[in-house]
Amino acid sequence: MKTFYGRANPTTGALDWVEESEEYDYHQEIARSCYADMLHDHDRNKKYYEGIRAAVTRVKARGEKVIVLDIGTGTGLLSMMAVTAGADFCYAVEVFKPMAEAAQCIVEKNGFSDKIKIINKHSTDVTVGPDGDMQVKANVLITELFDTELIGEGALPSYEHAHQNLMQDRCEAVPHRATVYAQLVESELLWSWAQLQPVEVEGARLVPPPAVGRCAGAHAVCDIQLSQVSPASFTPLGPVCTMFTVDFSKPVSSAFQAHSSQFVAQSSGRAQVVLSWWDLDMDPSGSIVCTMAPSWTYQEPKMAPWRDHWMQSVYFLPVESQVTEGEELSLMVCHDDYSLWYSLQRGSQTEAPPSRPCCTCQAHLVWTRPRFGELNDRRRTESYISALRSVLREDSVCLSVSDGSLLPVFAHMLGAKKVRRFHLTDTHVSLQVLEANSMKGRVELLEIRLEQLTSNDVGGEQISVLMGEPYFSTSLLPWHSLFFWYCRTALAGLLRPNASILPRAASLHMVAVEFQDLWRIRAPCGTCEGFDVTPMDEMVQRSLDFHESREAEPHPLWEYPCRALTQSTAAMTFDFTQCLPQQPISTQGSLSFIREGRCHGVALWMEYHLTDDITVSAGLTGPINEQGDCEWSRHRKQGVYFFGSPWEISGDGRAAVSYSFTFEPSLGDIRMDFTVTSQ
């Protein structure tokens, strides 16, 4: 059966109605789920297998039958490990129907269907008894319910229910326990993702609104590949602290709890950020450990296992505060059933645990953390100020089209006669910025639909400078910022004949790459730890065959190292000084491979040409070095087009990647195709 879906088009700004299969949503979830990443995590699999063997052995040593409950079984891998280790029977629970069906196929394919029962339910709905899902309660609990924050996927309520209803009193658990670690640091880089910083413009100082500075920020965890944040980017103010442990073999509570760790400050600085990760002890003795610690905690960083399903967490303190070397401090972590938050206390003082932080200024609700970082990027800001300085005149009438942009404030500070900002998503925050800098009334916010804008709305004057970064909160892929072109075209009748458009143009760039690790999220598994999981590969491939899933997908490539195997090139250019064309724009070409490696796909990004000689890149931030290493912008996600299978490249120049792009103005989409050819 087909279903019509109303979908906001991030490029055109229109609501498009498209006909899709009723199974479309879950195909998208499967295609983007990265199940393969977990199965490619050999360290995780190995540690689970060792822990399961040890748990089965302990139960058998007590003379008991081994009955396993596997919550969140996924492919059924851990249940098959348990049966192979000697378990008598496994109840494998999986709530996601397509995954449960794949697990059933995998269990049958590996010959375990008489020992493993797949239960397609949430674990809290599972029943026990002669007519229940489970005949008897289990004595071994195996789970993989964790996320980067440990408890964010509902691990605590699931464990709590399982111990109360599905497990025997004396049971084993794999993993046996989890331990959460944290370290207090000062970091200008990371703090720039939490608070708006002052900006100097023509000798004047633009200050952030007091409400933003006082705000504790959004409570959601910032999960990143902390291994890609250089230790040079932060100063540890204290040691790595053990914050709390959870013993999964005993009844678990999902109620609010608070834990503290006391330490002496090892250096002076501004307490701003808490870095956090966790370990899993797979056995009671702690001899089988699976750690999420970032690579720079290892003596040999290259030995750290790579994971994308479990990363590390960054927490921002409600306010930054100065600490002094030798000062006694106490770091407190609180958690409810789904999230953690941190606070800092002084000396031996005992304060009531703080409630979960929430944004009171609205800025943290409308701006993402990378967006805060982008607004605080001084070099980027100077590029826009320089570009504005070159186009503004005393009689300039300016209109800004971008979400959460400071460009209209900069234009006013640079002397523009009138500045208006077209409202998209963040009027309240913009008003706070204007009020904090005594500019209310000097920069007018237009709260009207773009297509309804008339000459009267801009004071009867024609616009001499139309500006945008461009940045739109609805953008997912780099080229969605072409919404600026649609806006510029809609406003054509309000522009002076010689109006300046900033940026003047944008270009779509590409480079063929070899990923160090990111390829794992798309690579088929085949056999995992000796078990055939090809039904899962086939399920993922069927979902990838849906049209939208075959397109590029967004990734912050600064977190995922890659090597360029070709030179980078501007594949398409979009001239914003002209109105949007009615006909499609097409281009094609090829790039020769100049380095040896395994090509996993193509990286794509936008560059904005503010003026003839000022360009801002949302992708590569510097030249590719001789080895092909790339440095990427931390502010925006880039697009990645994965090949169905990697290509082995010799780098002798005889192979090339051919490309074709077509921009469809009526659809607001870029169709692309890539093939690797050899001469």
Side-chain angles (χ1 to χ4, degrees):
M1 189 175 82
K2 297 285 188 177
T3 303
F4 280 100
Y5 286 79
R7 207 174 283 139
N9 187 316
T11 309
T12 65
L15 181 67
D16 295 340
W17 289 94
V18 293
E19 187 183 44
E20 296 287 4
S21 164
E22 63 180 357
E23 299 177 338
Y24 176 82
D25 283 341
Y26 85 65
H27 277 295
Q28 288 298 298
E29 184 171 346
I30 293 168
R32 299 289 186 242
S33 64
C34 306
Y35 283 115
D37 167 38
M38 291 185 282
L39 297 181
H40 282 298
D41 187 348
H42 176 66
D43 179 75
R44 161 194 176 271
N45 300 338
K46 177 173 175 285
K47 302 295 175 55
Y48 260 101
Y49 212 164
E50 291 175 359
I52 289 169
R53 288 195 194 99
V56 170
T57 299
R58 291 194 300 275
V59 174
K60 283 188 174 293
R62 301 199 294 258
E64 302 174 20
K65 279 191 172 184
V66 180
I67 307 299
V68 173
L69 173 61
D70 176 8
I71 301 179
T73 193
T75 60
L77 175 67
L78 302 184
S79 287
M80 293 189 293
M81 288 178 175
V83 172
T84 303
D88 294 281
F89 198 82
C90 291
Y91 295 102
V93 181
E94 175 56 51
V95 69
F96 187 39
K97 185 178 179 180
M99 199 70 242
E101 292 171 348
Q104 186 66 55
C105 292
I106 291 169
V107 165
E108 292 174 358
K109 193 177 188 69
N110 287 274
F112 294 109
S113 54
D114 62 330
K115 294 277 191 176
I116 300 174
K117 179 182 179 182
I118 304 296
I119 303 172
N120 180 207
K121 286 185 175 181
H122 194 284
S123 65
T124 56
D125 296 326
V126 171
T127 58
V128 180
D131 298 321
D133 301 305
M134 299 170 61
Q135 294 295 298
V136 296
K137 290 185 176 182
N139 53 14
V140 175
L141 177 57
I142 301 174
T143 62
E144 204 284 59
L145 298 172
F146 314 114
D147 67 348
T148 293
E149 202 172 15
L150 183 66
I151 65 173
E153 290 185 1
L156 294 181
S158 296
Y159 272 111
E160 187 174 43
H161 176 271
H163 277 290
Q164 291 173 355
N165 300 278
L166 307 177
M167 302 304 299
Q168 298 176 23
D169 290 339
R170 188 183 179 192
C171 71
E172 302 289 339
V174 182
H176 181 80
R177 77 174 67 85
T179 303
V180 174
Y181 302 94
Q183 185 172 36
L184 180 68
V185 304
E186 174 185 357
S187 173
E188 182 178 354
L189 168 65
L190 298 177
W191 190 244
S192 73
W193 298 351
Q195 290 291 341
L196 197 60
Q197 306 299 323
V199 181
E200 297 288 338
V201 182
E202 301 290 85
R205 187 176 175 85
L206 178 68
V207 298
V212 176
R214 292 192 301 266
C215 182
H219 73 268
V221 64
C222 177
D223 53 341
I224 63 172
Q225 291 284 357
L226 203 52
S227 296
Q228 299 308 314
V229 177
S230 167
S233 299
F234 60 87
T235 302
L237 301 180
V240 175
C241 300
T242 300
M243 299 306 302
F244 67 93
T245 62
V246 182
D247 186 337
F248 298 125
S249 70
K250 298 176 181 177
V252 170
S253 173
S254 61
F256 172 90
Q257 293 185 31
H259 309 270
S260 294
S261 181
Q262 285 74 40
F263 63 94
V264 174
Q266 62 187 41
S267 59
S268 299
R270 293 171 296 160
Q272 299 169 324
V273 174
V274 175
L275 311 180
S276 183
W277 58 89
W278 44 269
D279 288 351
L280 295 176
D281 289 333
M282 296 298 182
D283 66 327
S285 68
S287 60
I288 308 168
V289 181
C290 186
T291 180
M292 307 314 128
S295 62
W296 36 258
T297 65
Y298 286 67
Q299 287 187 339
E300 296 184 44
K302 290 185 178 180
M303 298 301 293
W306 183 85
R307 303 181 174 95
D308 205 45
H309 51 285
W310 296 332
M311 295 187 280
Q312 295 80 35
S313 301
V314 174
Y315 298 90
F316 304 98
L317 293 178
V319 293
E320 65 175 331
S321 59
Q322 188 70 31
V323 301
T324 305
E325 183 179 355
E327 184 179 1
E328 293 184 1
L329 301 171
S330 177
L331 189 62
M332 176 179 286
V333 61
C334 302
H335 72 78
D336 51 22
D337 48 351
Y338 280 92
S339 59
L340 280 67
W341 59 96
Y342 284 83
S343 61
L344 184 66
Q345 299 181 358
R346 307 281 175 160
S348 57
Q349 63 181 344
T350 302
E351 298 179 6
S355 57
R356 186 171 68 175
C358 64
C359 176
T360 56
C361 70
Q362 295 191 24
H364 300 91
L365 301 179
V366 298
W367 294 343
T368 65
R369 291 183 174 107
R371 179 58 174 163
F372 269 95
E374 189 169 54
L375 292 172
N376 287 325
D377 186 329
R378 295 186 183 90
R379 173 188 276 179
R380 179 180 180 276
T381 295
E382 185 53 43
S383 293
Y384 281 94
I385 291 174
S386 296
L388 282 171
R389 193 182 289 119
S390 71
V391 299
L392 289 177
R393 304 290 181 267
E394 288 184 1
D395 63 345
S396 290
V397 177
C398 306
L399 178 65
S400 174
V401 180
S402 269
D403 281 348
S405 180
L406 298 178
L407 293 188
V409 178
F410 296 158
H412 171 74
M413 296 175 77
L414 290 168
K417 175 185 174 184
K418 289 185 179 178
V419 182
R420 294 178 174 86
R421 180 177 178 275
F422 175 66
H423 158 63
L424 291 166
T425 62
D426 56 352
T427 297
H428 181 75
V429 180
S430 299
L431 281 171
Q432 289 185 68
V433 173
L434 297 177
E435 289 174 354
N437 292 276
S438 303
M439 294 184 190
K440 190 175 180 181
R442 301 181 187 181
V443 176
E444 183 181 351
L445 302 180
L446 301 176
E447 299 187 65
I448 187 172
R449 292 179 62 86
L450 188 69
E451 62 271 20
Q452 297 174 343
L453 205 63
T454 68
S455 177
N456 291 335
D457 297 311
V458 291
E461 297 182 278
Q462 289 186 305
I463 299 164
S464 57
V465 178
L466 177 65
M467 55 191 175
E469 299 184 32
Y471 170 83
F472 304 105
S473 59
T474 54
S475 296
L476 298 175
L477 289 161
W479 44 93
H480 289 166
S481 61
L482 291 176
F483 179 53
F484 179 77
W485 206 2
Y486 288 80
C487 296
R488 177 260 181 271
T489 302
L491 295 168
L494 301 179
L495 301 178
R496 291 181 187 175
N498 61 343
S500 296
I501 312 295
L502 191 155
R504 295 177 53 83
S507 50
L508 175 63
H509 290 244
M510 61 168 281
V511 62
V513 296
E514 174 188 59
F515 285 109
Q516 180 175 301
D517 295 295
L518 188 63
W519 59 270
R520 301 173 195 270
I521 70 172
R522 292 288 167 261
C525 297
T527 300
C528 180
E529 308 303 324
F531 302 99
D532 186 344
V533 295
T534 52
M536 190 213 68
D537 294 336
E538 294 164 358
M539 177 189 72
V540 172
Q541 189 57 52
R542 285 193 299 271
S543 294
L544 286 170
D545 286 340
F546 270 63
H547 69 88
E548 189 170 314
S549 301
R550 292 197 304 267
E551 298 176 353
E553 54 192 79
H555 289 284
L557 291 186
W558 73 269
E559 295 186 58
Y560 304 106
C562 63
R563 289 176 57 242
L565 301 182
T566 66
Q567 293 180 338
S568 63
T569 190
M572 298 190 82
T573 298
F574 310 96
D575 185 357
F576 296 157
T577 65
Q578 304 297 316
C579 286
L580 189 75
Q582 296 183 347
Q583 300 302 315
I585 304 172
S586 297
T587 186
Q588 58 185 17
S590 65
L591 279 173
S592 295
F593 287 100
I594 58 175
R595 295 181 185 89
E596 181 181 359
R598 172 174 283 194
C599 186
H600 296 111
V602 174
L604 303 136
W605 68 97
M606 297 291 282
E607 294 191 1
Y608 304 105
H609 310 291
L610 307 185
T611 64
D612 290 338
D613 55 358
I614 301 176
T615 294
V616 172
S617 174
L620 287 176
T621 57
I624 299 168
N625 70 13
E626 195 171 316
Q627 291 73 39
D629 298 328
C630 304
E631 292 185 11
W632 299 96
S633 169
R634 288 188 171 97
H635 309 320
R636 308 249 182 135
K637 291 183 178 180
Q638 292 73 40
V640 177
Y641 187 103
F642 285 102
F643 294 150
S645 56
W647 291 85
E648 299 293 343
I649 304 299
S650 63
D652 57 7
R654 290 187 294 179
V657 56
S658 299
Y659 60 85
S660 65
F661 294 92
T662 300
F663 173 58
E664 298 273 3
S666 61
L667 301 176
D669 196 13
I670 295 180
R671 290 186 287 107
M672 59 190 69
D673 188 47
F674 304 93
T675 56
V676 174
T677 58
S678 298
Q679 297 179 355

